Amino acid sequence: MNRPSDSGETLPKEQAVSNISSALRFRELAQENNKLFRESIPLIASENLMSPLAMEMLLSDFGFRYAEGLPGHRYYQGNQIVDQMEEFVVELGKKLFNARQIDPRPISGTVANMGTIYGLTSPGDTITTPALAGGGHISAAEFGAVGFRGLRRVELPFDPETMSVKPSEAASVIRKERPKVVLVGQSVFLFPAPLNEISEAAREVGAPVWYDGAHVLGLIAGRQFQDPLREGADLITGSTHKTFPGPQHGIAVGNAPEDTWKKIQRGMFPGVLSNHHLNTMAALGVTLAEELEFGERYARDIIRNSRALGEELHNLGFRVLGEKLGFTRSHTLALDVRPQGGGKLVAETLERCGIILNKNMLPDDDSRKSQNPSGIRIGSQEVTRLGMGPSEMKEIASLINRAVAKHESPEEIRNEVFELKKRFREVKYCFGRLEAYRYFRIMEE
Ligand SMILES: *Cc1c(COP(=O)(O)O)cnc(C)c1O
């Protein structure tokens, strides 16, 4: 690496050289990571790729500014364009989700959850949540955001075969416990939640129904999973980078009474936010517009693919949860891979083959088994975004089977993964066409 002529003048030569190589090391690591994912089959259920137009927003000046509060009520000067941008994001969000209220400020799904908890509860209040063993997220745990607020937490009963909340049992728990808030929605979210039964019970005890749609937000946007606001939920929170194919950011979507919504918004700011990351918010705006155009078809294709993959894995002899209901209604599959050596071994073997997914706890797992659980989780949303369809799902199922059931050589499988992936490198369901990772041109030179 050449030493730039205009830097390091007061430093010893070796030190200047080593500092610039340290800086450039990050560029190398980014390039290596791009290559790793360009050449792999990405099946992590919480990840996705952004569109080129949305990517552009991440590099804009929005990413260097502060805008605390709400449009028109700021604490800093220089926000006139930011205000227009944020108001437009809200407008597009209302349209896409058919909602009265949008708060696009949370900088992640967890932050949206923290703000909601902060706004709607006080220490010592009771909250009912999905069970952790039933796919509940850490932000709904005692050791996560719910515990951070000092809430008393009661889990809703669920069916271990489908990992879905049981409607009448959950309603009884809500009637008995009289929680301040009712939370539904999981990280392993295979089937729609029984919102009608839950919200009826919640209304009786005066508790708002809060739907954590982090995983399924894109499916809801595409009208393919369930319509929480029409099924009794007052609020949806979500991540905007899982099935919703946008930036790593969060959102709150509401049809809540005005005073409830005010509390939620005050929970966000000044509760858990100061600045709210304006470049990712602008990227969220781009993605909302793209979802209005392509979201329905994208969500339908995601679900078609996960069901096809589930069916094929089942035919090859894998134990896929939810068999009697067609394995899934979302992007996610949960597999019990104890016969293949357990979640840890299977996930690590597949990683060596270029197939990237994660090990996952299943309902019967002891919580001490979190480093070697029984299951794996698979998501179809990213491969769908790259244009793969049911016939590629068959190929993927076969590669998985050969790797972890037939123990074929990882190098051989890796080559086939590479060949398959070569045909699917362009991000679809968005405006503009560009090969994934090409927007890093500055780094490729
Ligand atoms: C992923 C997830 C979140 C929050 O995720 P972030 O990584 O903070 O965006 C919240 N709830 C559920 C159910 C999730 O799966």
Side-chain angles (χ1 to χ4, degrees):
M1 188 51 61
N2 291 331
R3 183 182 160 204
S5 57
D6 62 347
S7 73
E9 257 143 38
T10 60
L11 293 170
K13 188 175 174 188
E14 306 72 45
Q15 198 177 332
V17 169
S18 106
N19 286 339
I20 188 164
S21 28
S22 298
L24 292 173
R25 179 70 187 130
F26 291 96
R27 173 191 263 190
E28 283 169 15
L29 288 169
Q31 283 170 319
E32 285 169 27
N33 193 58
N34 285 356
K35 181 171 182 299
L36 173 67
F37 278 88
R38 182 164 49 226
E39 296 177 355
S40 302
I41 293 176
L43 297 174
I44 303 269
S46 57
E47 297 178 355
N48 216 321
L49 288 164
M50 282 170 69
S51 79
L53 272 180
M55 278 295 307
E56 203 177 65
M57 292 300 106
L58 299 189
L59 301 174
S60 72
D61 185 84
F62 283 137
F64 314 136
R65 302 303 150 198
Y66 257 77
E68 289 183 330
L70 289 165
H73 307 274
R74 301 291 197 192
Y75 299 81
Y76 294 81
Q77 302 315 120
N79 284 159
Q80 52 276 56
I81 313 291
V82 168
D83 281 6
Q84 288 177 49
M85 182 273 286
E86 189 166 326
E87 278 170 350
F88 194 34
V89 174
V90 169
E91 184 186 323
L92 291 174
K94 286 179 180 171
K95 193 168 162 198
L96 181 64
F97 291 102
N98 186 15
R100 280 207 305 274
Q101 299 131 345
I102 293 286
D103 194 328
R105 296 175 299 170
I107 57 175
S108 73
T110 297
V111 168
N113 290 357
M114 290 174 70
T116 300
I117 291 167
Y118 195 57
L120 294 182
T121 64
S122 304
D125 284 348
T126 297
I127 185 169
T128 56
T129 77
L132 293 187
H137 185 250
I138 50 173
S139 56
E142 233 119 52
F143 54 80
V146 160
F148 192 65
R149 186 60 167 152
L151 302 183
R152 183 177 154 264
R153 179 173 172 275
V154 179
E155 292 191 342
L156 297 177
F158 68 98
D159 174 354
E161 181 47 36
T162 59
M163 296 179 81
S164 296
V165 170
K166 287 181 164 171
S168 59
E169 287 87 336
S172 309
V173 170
I174 292 165
R175 289 188 177 102
K176 172 164 169 280
E177 299 288 343
R178 309 187 65 83
K180 194 77 177 291
V181 177
V182 171
L183 170 61
V184 290
Q186 301 118 260
S187 297
V188 181
F189 207 164
L190 304 177
F191 299 98
L195 272 178
N196 289 319
E197 293 87 344
I198 287 173
S199 42
E200 192 184 318
R203 262 195 306 280
E204 283 172 34
V205 303
V209 176
W210 162 26
Y211 184 98
D212 182 343
H215 261 270
V216 293
L217 194 70
L219 307 180
I220 291 169
R223 296 179 177 72
Q224 303 301 314
F225 188 64
Q226 67 185 136
D227 189 353
L229 298 182
R230 257 56 59 187
E231 294 165 30
D234 297 282
L235 168 73
I236 304 170
T237 55
S239 310
T240 58
H241 48 265
K242 297 184 179 178
T243 53
F244 189 93
Q248 291 199 329
H249 196 89
I251 195 168
V253 179
N255 258 359
E258 219 31 66
D259 59 328
T260 306
W261 182 249
K262 280 226 172 70
K263 286 181 197 162
I264 293 165
Q265 286 211 297
R266 285 192 59 77
M268 302 300 175
F269 176 87
V272 297
L273 289 167
S274 167
N275 188 33
H276 48 263
H277 300 190
L278 303 166
N279 56 341
T280 50
M281 184 189 276
L284 169 59
V286 170
T287 316
L288 286 165
E290 292 182 328
E291 282 287 284
L292 280 162
E293 181 80 14
F294 307 103
E296 205 165 315
R297 192 159 55 78
Y298 178 41
R300 207 179 300 122
D301 292 349
I302 289 172
I303 296 168
R304 185 195 55 184
N305 279 346
S306 57
R307 287 170 73 91
L309 184 57
E311 183 75 46
E312 192 61 23
L313 287 165
H314 168 76
N315 292 341
L316 290 168
F318 285 90
R319 199 176 104 64
V320 186
L321 269 65
E323 181 187 346
K324 63 176 191 244
L325 298 176
F327 310 107
T328 185
R329 292 287 322 159
S330 73
H331 61 305
T332 303
L333 294 167
L335 272 65
D336 180 348
V337 290
R338 276 173 298 182
Q340 289 78 24
K344 179 176 155 67
L345 179 69
V346 165
E348 289 175 0
T349 303
L350 290 173
E351 185 176 40
R352 281 200 294 283
C353 301
I355 297 173
I356 300 181
L357 47 68
N358 64 283
K359 60 181 183 247
N360 212 94
M361 304 267 285
L362 293 181
D364 290 334
D365 282 342
D366 188 303
S367 64
R368 283 165 305 189
K369 272 182 76 186
S370 65
Q371 279 307 314
N372 186 19
S374 304
I376 55 169
R377 186 181 67 166
I378 299 181
S380 65
Q381 72 294 334
E382 189 171 340
V383 288
T384 304
R385 185 135 164 96
L386 289 166
M388 292 192 191
S391 69
E392 285 74 35
M393 297 306 112
K394 278 196 154 186
E395 286 187 56
I396 291 174
S398 161
L399 290 165
I400 291 175
N401 185 49
R402 288 167 50 200
V404 305
K406 302 205 160 144
H407 308 290
E408 288 187 27
S409 104
E411 294 69 39
E412 173 53 31
I413 309 266
R414 184 131 208 17
N415 287 336
E416 292 188 40
V417 163
F418 181 79
E419 289 306 315
L420 168 60
K421 187 65 187 305
K422 228 159 72 178
R423 296 186 276 131
F424 298 95
R425 286 189 174 164
E426 201 180 83
V427 179
K428 312 280 195 219
Y429 309 96
C430 60
F431 297 120
R433 283 275 174 266
L434 202 60
E435 192 178 298
Y437 306 111
R438 275 295 145 205
Y439 16 72
F440 292 94
R441 188 149 294 152
I442 186 171
M443 300 217 196
E444 311 279 335
E445 272 154 17

